[in-house]
Amino acid sequence: MPHTASRYLAEGPRVGIRHFTYEDGAEFIARTRESKDLHQPWLFPPTTDAAYAGYAGRLIEDRSKAGFLVCEKDAGERGGEQGGAIAGFININNIVEGGFQCGALGYGVFAHAAGRGLMREAMGLVVDYAFGPMRLHRLEINAQPGNAASIALARGAGFRLEGFSPNMIYIDGAWRDHERWAITAEMRSTG
């Protein structure tokens, strides 16, 4: 069988990142449902076909967003053409071009992949992709102060703490405080 090009936008030793597709809905929803206890109260990814279709549609069609599925590179539980199982996701939201060239990251790992270092590897791939082909200059992460795993991922990827914003984002019925973390292309190239 001839070698075909990878479907990943970028690859590391254990994971590859690729864009969302509508066909990923069943697996994404199943992973979200399995991971409810891990995600809440921080994150509420879609758990129904209709919610996934809207969520994926925004990531696929809206130029101010870019969604990346984190996939295990081995055949894992899923195998086939798509590659390995979906381990998580990292989205770049609120992309502003022009003089700003910035976006805000949102992300989540699925329970079967938590604690294995896959998201740390994927974060590096997404940051490199954002500063490379996407030509962004700055990425931000807004994390609730009690979300230790999210803050550890930001810190481990070289983001610096820039401040604290009270009542910044409306999540789960209330305005939540957030720490603001950021990285620039210059920080990544010298880090």
Side-chain angles (χ1 to χ4, degrees), residues 31-50:
R31 298 288 183 204
T32 297
R33 289 177 179 165
E34 294 166 2
S35 305
K36 180 180 177 183
D37 291 342
L38 177 65
H39 291 161
Q40 294 179 4
W42 319 112
L43 184 63
F44 297 85
T47 58
T48 66
D49 290 335

Side-chain angles (χ1 to χ4, degrees), residues 1 5 7 10 16 24 34 44 86-87 93 106 113 150 163 177 190:
M1 188 152 107
R7 67 177 291 124
D24 292 309
E34 294 166 2
F44 297 85
I86 297 173
N93 300 298
S150 184
D177 298 343
T190 60

Side-chain angles (χ1 to χ4, degrees), residues 2 14 16 35 45 65 79 90 94 105 160 162 168 170 176:
R14 298 184 300 150
S35 305
K65 300 179 186 313
I90 302 174
N94 307 323
L105 298 182
R160 68 176 171 226
E162 290 193 333
M168 181 179 187
Y170 193 79
R176 309 290 179 182

